[in-house]
Every structure is written in C-alpha cells, then in structure tokens.
Amino acid sequence: MAADTSHTAIPSPADDLVTVSRVRDILDEWYPPSLAESWDAPGLVCGDPDDTVSHIVCALEATDDVVDAAIAAHADMLVVHHPLLMRGVSSVAADTAKGRIIHQLIRHRIALMSAHTNADAAVGGVNDVLARLLGVVVERPLEPVTQAVDLWGVQVPLDSSEALRNALFDAGAGRFDGYDQCSFETVGRGQFRPLDGSHPTIGTAHEVETVEEARIHVVAPTWARSAVRSALVAAHPYEVPAYDVTTIDSGARPGPTTPGIGRVGHLDEPMTLRSFTRRVSERLPRTVWGVRAAGDPDQPVNTVALCSGAGDSLLDAAAASNADVYLTSDLRHHPADEHLRAGGPALVDTAHWASESPWCADVARRLHEELGLPCRDLGIRTDPWTLGAAVAQ
C-alpha cells in the first residue's frame, strides 16, 4: 500500500488563506494543462474556486471508497490522476455511477481536480516518480513534447537596453537548453514622428526624430508570454514600445528537463532482467496482477525505457530508444509478441495502478511543502483486479 504522508498542519495567517483556485494554479504550474493529450480532460471537475482549503487528500482516481474516505477525513479538496469525466456524459444524476460521486463531493463541499497526461508528461510528474522509485537515472523523455518557444524582438534606446534586457530575464525570458540570460542584440537607427495626443519620451510633436537603438532578441516559454510582455512594457522608456513575437520550435535537444511521455535512463547499477524484474516487484505496490517479463532472464540490463500506465502505443519509441528493457502496464499479447519478434527490447509489464499510484504520495508531499497544509495520500487501492492465481515456476 502507498505510504501515509499526512503531516502536522502549519498555521496560515488569516489573510493568506489557501483557496481551491490557488491549489489549481499550483498544480497547473507543476503539470501544465498544455502538456495534456488532445483526448484528455484534466483540471477542476467540481468545486468553487473561491472556497477555502485546509485539508487535501490524494488518490489515483475518485471511486466511491475514495470519496467516502475524503469525507471521513474532512477534506476540502481531492486531487486525483485519472479524470472522473474524461468522456462526454449526458447526465450526472445521483443514481448514475459518476453522478453519485459528483453529488457526494458537492454535498460535502469537496473540490475535485485531476492531473492526468499533463502529469505524465511534466518534469517531476508521474514518470519521474516511477523512474526514481525503480533506480532509473533519467536522461530524456521517451517521446518528447515539441518545445515551442516565443522569439521576442524589441527596439529600445541604447542607454536603456541593459535595464530592459534584465527585466526580460527576470520575467523568464532568455533561458535555453541549460543556459540563462541568453540574448542577441543589433544596433541601428530608429525613426518616428510624434502626432497630436502622444507623449513622447524623446522628440517633439510633428517632427521626425531619429534615435540610436538596440534591437534585443530573446526566447521565452509560451506560457510566460503575459509576464514577459508586462515586464517589457514596464521597463521600456517609450510610451508605445515597438516589439514583435513569433512562436518557433526551440530545436533544443531532449534532456532530463524536457517534458514528454515516458522516460529513458540508466540504472543506478547494472543487473540482469531477472534481477530488474524482482526489483520492480519489490518496489512497486503489490497487486494480484504482479509483475511479468518477456526476454532472456539472464540478459544484462543497463538502459531502461519506461512509461507509467498503458504504454503499448510507445513500443516503437521504446525500440528506437536502444533501451535494454521497456517497462509499462497493460501490455497486450499481439503487440508485445510482434515487438519481440522485431528485435525490440525486453518487456516488463506491471499493473496499471501499481505504476501510477506512487505519484499520489509525491504530489501530497509537494502540496504540503508548498502550502503548509495537511496533505496526504489516502492509500486506497483502486486497482480493479482483486484475485489472481499463478502456476509455480
């Protein structure tokens, strides 16, 4: 079972109450919704964003048992991995399976929020938790997210260029592939003529003015666009700054801090497939599904590709990664068999719940450290499989 990560509450000042909206903002920062797959539906399912939160509980999904436990714990918010309403529904009546849960949550003023494939892809998310638990040192994502960035260009008088450049850096611009404070600058002559109603910093109405200016180029994450623009306008000496923004592919090489589905890395110590399978069985929560492997039990394993949850759609990516083994969940017979026949890496198959549930304790810990509130993993097994039998080898 997942460990209990409850903590003693740290009092918060009355004027610094934690709200549902604040928790949502923190989770969206850690696990950006933009990283979610197009078919996914993470986010706030129910709850008033202005409601106060004093106790948060976490689970892999919102089942009846989980909601009952959240109510018993007097929680104000339930954070889960699997969305409750991922596909369209025509009714949330209380006599339907999902409607019953929604009504219980609303009746007891418990907000429900999920972070699904966005938490899978985010750095520090579900796959990184799984890799850390299994002793895999992450080198890159298995399937990187295309990293679009904004390229900003802004003209500014030479004597104000340094102050503007530093303001852009402080707002999150100028970071690229392991470097920060990156910029490119060219010097030229700017020209303008102030018209009636303008209030020029330099120049006189109806007279053409020329100024020696620098054009500063910086890159910035697309999600930081608002902050960068605000910093640019605040630091620029002109009444109306001249700037442009273009969104481009960053071209950065994938690394440990690149978001994406799955992970590829090396083991903290090389071992055989047999030993790695045993390690997985010992370190993941136990399930009746257990852990099974396909490949030569004595083959050496150093490089591991992994994907929490159902990952047979990434078998080709695992083969292209040159990993010795690919670990995921819910592998089907034919895709697995064809993968092995094509010379792909050995396979380790785990229960879906087992590969994802360790994230629950991790997000509870992070929320507690960030907010100073009681936050804990409920530790409820939501794996649907309840009985298993195996033939002794």
Side-chain angles (χ1 to χ4, degrees):
M1 296 293 286
D4 185 342
T5 58
S6 58
H7 300 276
T8 302
I10 299 175
S12 301
D15 59 352
D16 190 30
L17 294 176
V18 175
T19 62
V20 171
S21 178
R22 183 178 172 193
V23 178
R24 175 173 61 181
D25 289 345
I26 290 170
L27 292 171
D28 283 349
E29 179 182 350
W30 292 345
Y31 317 115
S34 61
L35 296 178
E37 298 291 329
S38 60
W39 48 263
D40 199 7
L44 190 63
V45 177
C46 67
D48 186 337
D50 293 328
D51 276 356
T52 301
V53 174
S54 59
H55 186 184
I56 302 172
V57 292
C58 304
L60 198 67
E61 49 235 330
T63 64
D64 288 296
D65 287 345
V66 165
V67 172
D68 287 345
I71 294 169
H74 303 290
D76 307 298
M77 193 163 185
L78 170 61
V79 175
V80 299
H81 183 48
H82 294 150
L84 178 65
L85 304 176
M86 191 161 66
R87 295 178 177 82
V89 296
S90 59
S91 171
V92 288
D95 60 353
T96 63
K98 292 185 177 182
R100 179 174 63 248
I101 288 173
I102 292 291
H103 279 262
Q104 280 283 75
L105 291 167
I106 293 175
R107 186 176 296 117
H108 292 275
R109 298 187 70 85
I110 300 175
L112 172 64
M113 181 163 176
S114 67
H116 192 211
T117 55
N118 51 320
D120 290 328
V123 175
V126 182
N127 279 288
D128 284 313
V129 172
L130 177 61
R132 186 166 59 244
L133 182 64
L134 298 180
V136 177
V137 181
V138 173
E139 297 170 359
R140 63 187 188 278
L142 179 58
E143 188 173 77
V145 170
T146 299
Q147 293 183 281
V149 295
D150 287 337
L151 175 62
W152 293 76
V154 56
Q155 287 84 253
V156 62
L158 276 179
D159 58 3
S160 299
S161 62
E162 183 176 359
L164 178 64
R165 192 166 52 245
N166 288 334
L168 296 174
F169 292 157
D170 289 343
R175 297 177 180 272
F176 180 76
D177 200 14
Y179 294 83
D180 66 2
Q181 300 193 24
C182 303
S183 67
F184 182 76
E185 188 173 310
T186 54
V187 177
R189 187 178 68 175
Q191 176 180 303
F192 53 87
R193 184 172 69 170
L195 301 177
D196 290 336
S198 62
H199 301 86
T201 303
I202 301 171
T204 305
H206 301 291
E207 294 185 9
V208 174
E209 185 72 32
T210 59
V211 182
E212 191 175 21
E213 295 179 334
R215 178 168 170 82
I216 299 173
H217 296 269
V218 292
V219 295
T222 55
W223 54 260
R225 188 174 298 165
S226 178
V228 173
R229 183 186 182 281
S230 296
L232 186 158
V233 171
H236 204 291
Y238 286 175
E239 180 183 22
V240 183
Y243 67 92
D244 53 82
V245 188
T246 305
T247 302
I248 61 173
D249 185 340
S250 71
R253 64 182 184 275
T257 59
T258 303
I261 297 296
R263 296 293 183 267
V264 179
H266 62 272
L267 280 175
D268 50 11
E269 57 175 325
M271 60 185 66
T272 63
L273 177 61
R274 187 194 310 276
S275 296
F276 179 67
T277 305
R278 184 180 304 115
R279 171 186 280 196
V280 174
S281 177
E282 292 171 348
R283 295 190 180 184
L284 288 188
R286 291 188 177 277
T287 63
V288 298
W289 180 284
V291 176
R292 54 186 181 177
D296 179 357
D298 296 317
Q299 77 168 78
V301 172
N302 184 41
T303 303
V304 176
L306 60 84
C307 177
S308 61
D312 64 5
S313 64
L314 294 177
L315 284 168
D316 288 344
S321 73
N322 294 319
D324 301 311
V325 64
Y326 175 45
L327 178 146
T328 190
S329 302
D330 301 342
L331 284 174
R332 294 172 295 160
H333 174 90
H334 291 297
D337 180 59
E338 291 168 8
H339 165 86
L340 294 169
R341 288 174 182 271
L347 299 173
V348 172
D349 185 33
T350 73
H352 192 119
W353 175 83
S355 69
E356 294 182 329
S357 61
W359 172 80
C360 300
D362 187 76
V363 72
R365 173 190 59 79
R366 294 181 70 180
L367 285 169
H368 168 71
E369 292 174 354
E370 180 73 21
L371 298 170
L373 299 177
C375 305
R376 66 185 180 95
D377 173 15
L378 287 171
I380 294 178
R381 183 183 298 273
T382 58
D383 182 12
W385 306 108
T386 58
L387 184 65
V391 177
Q393 295 292 319

